[in-house]
Amino acid sequence: MKAHHDQHFLIDTNAVNRIADLAEVQGKNVLEIGPGNGVLTRALLNRGAILHAIELDGMLCEQLTDTFSEEIESGQLTLQHGDATRCEIPPFDITVSNLPYSASSKITFRLLLQGFEVAVLMFQTEFAERMVAKAGTKDCGRLSIMVQTYAAVQTCFRLPPQCFSPRPQVHSTVVKIFPRDPIFFIGDRRLYADVVRALFSHRRKTVRNGLRGAVGSMLGEAWVGRVIAALPEEILKSRPEELYLEDFATIANIP
């Protein structure tokens, strides 16, 4: 059985309860992305969440509307038919979601732009491992830097393929994300994001050559010239995975 819209539905009751219990949702505005067949939705509603669910699949939306008609009528559940990578996301306190693998990165970056208390998210294990990879190590990438700049990430537990239907070919990992202010001052968050993206787009190059390679497409030529002139040689000759959060902030903060 092929996964429609890249969704693998949780069928393990114990796993559902473990996920739903990772955050105190009673009376909270909770966002669920990709409710699918509604098994996690039911667990969250049973725990007193005021839930807003976003589902891409129109047929699943119809099924969910029938299944949760009472909760929708009472206002405890709002069901939105949309693509979470681009549709409007309402304010929320907590998100508990089994994200579709192919959209994990886009949705995670979007969520980080929102203000929230905690996110309980399920990812492909490889993705989760990249998210928590430490800055300055070879496993570090754009995802690692951007998430860890604005949040603390805690790995909770791993789930095997048999917990899902259809079964994925990979393991999944549940993480908790706690937003926080950056440890190091960042003057322009958009420029910071562009710098991180530019450098990891050329991750085999040194910082000097990576910045030069991003001129025109991601970064301005005059600014790159000022940065290269101002940065110490130690940073310029490093590769992106060798940098620490403070180094990325140092680069982006050059006027």
Side-chain angles (χ1 to χ4, degrees):
M1 182 177 179
K2 186 177 180 181
H4 189 46
H5 287 309
D6 196 31
Q7 284 184 305
H8 299 271
F9 304 133
L10 269 170
I11 58 173
D12 186 300
T13 303
N14 289 332
V16 171
N17 288 327
R18 288 180 74 188
I19 293 168
D21 287 336
L22 282 173
E24 178 53 62
V25 299
Q26 173 74 38
K28 297 284 189 176
N29 290 314
V30 179
L31 172 70
E32 183 185 9
I33 294 173
N37 57 8
V39 62
L40 183 56
T41 309
R42 175 60 70 193
L44 294 170
L45 291 170
N46 287 346
R47 286 161 174 77
I50 303 167
L51 193 61
H52 186 102
I54 301 176
E55 175 55 57
L56 175 63
D57 190 304
M59 291 183 63
L60 287 175
C61 278
E62 293 181 8
Q63 295 172 20
L64 291 166
T65 299
D66 290 337
T67 301
F68 297 102
S69 57
E70 292 184 7
E71 290 82 1
I72 292 173
E73 185 175 352
S74 72
Q76 187 184 5
L77 171 64
T78 302
L79 183 61
Q80 177 182 349
H81 180 203
D83 181 347
T85 66
R86 64 187 69 185
C87 71
E88 183 177 353
I89 296 178
F92 61 93
D93 301 315
I94 297 169
T95 177
V96 183
S97 303
N98 172 16
L99 299 180
Y101 293 150
S102 62
S104 293
S105 183
K106 288 183 179 180
I107 294 174
T108 300
F109 284 134
R110 284 203 75 192
L111 292 176
L112 285 171
L113 295 175
Q114 308 263 359
F116 60 88
E117 295 175 12
V118 62
V120 177
L121 302 174
M122 190 191 310
F123 300 109
Q124 181 178 335
T125 291
E126 182 184 2
F127 184 92
E129 289 175 347
R130 285 192 285 117
M131 180 180 289
V132 300
K134 299 298 184 184
T137 67
K138 63 180 179 62
D139 295 323
C140 174
R142 178 191 174 207
L143 176 70
S144 321
I145 296 300
M146 290 304 298
V147 171
Q148 293 172 39
T149 295
Y150 299 110
V153 186
Q154 172 188 340
T155 300
C156 298
F157 51 84
R158 180 185 292 193
L159 295 175
Q162 55 264 35
C163 290
F164 303 86
S165 178
R167 290 189 181 189
Q169 296 181 343
V170 296
H171 282 70
S172 299
T173 295
V174 179
V175 306
K176 292 179 77 171
I177 300 177
F178 302 89
R180 57 167 169 72
D181 290 331
I183 298 173
F184 303 102
F185 173 75
I186 297 172
D188 184 332
R189 294 192 175 195
R190 178 169 293 183
L191 177 58
Y192 180 86
D194 287 342
V195 166
V196 174
R197 180 164 59 99
L199 289 176
F200 280 105
S201 295
H202 302 87
R203 65 177 303 141
R204 294 185 179 181
K205 296 182 178 181
T206 64
V207 169
R208 176 187 280 108
N209 291 334
L211 291 172
R212 286 173 174 166
V215 168
S217 59
M218 287 175 266
L219 301 172
E221 183 176 5
W223 182 80
V224 167
R226 293 196 300 274
V227 169
I228 290 175
L231 285 176
E233 186 64 24
E234 182 181 0
I235 291 180
L236 288 171
K237 69 181 182 182
S238 299
R239 287 178 170 77
E241 64 267 23
E242 297 172 326
L243 301 180
Y244 295 94
L245 295 180
E246 183 179 11
D247 298 322
F248 287 101
T250 295
I251 296 170
N253 287 336
I254 293 175

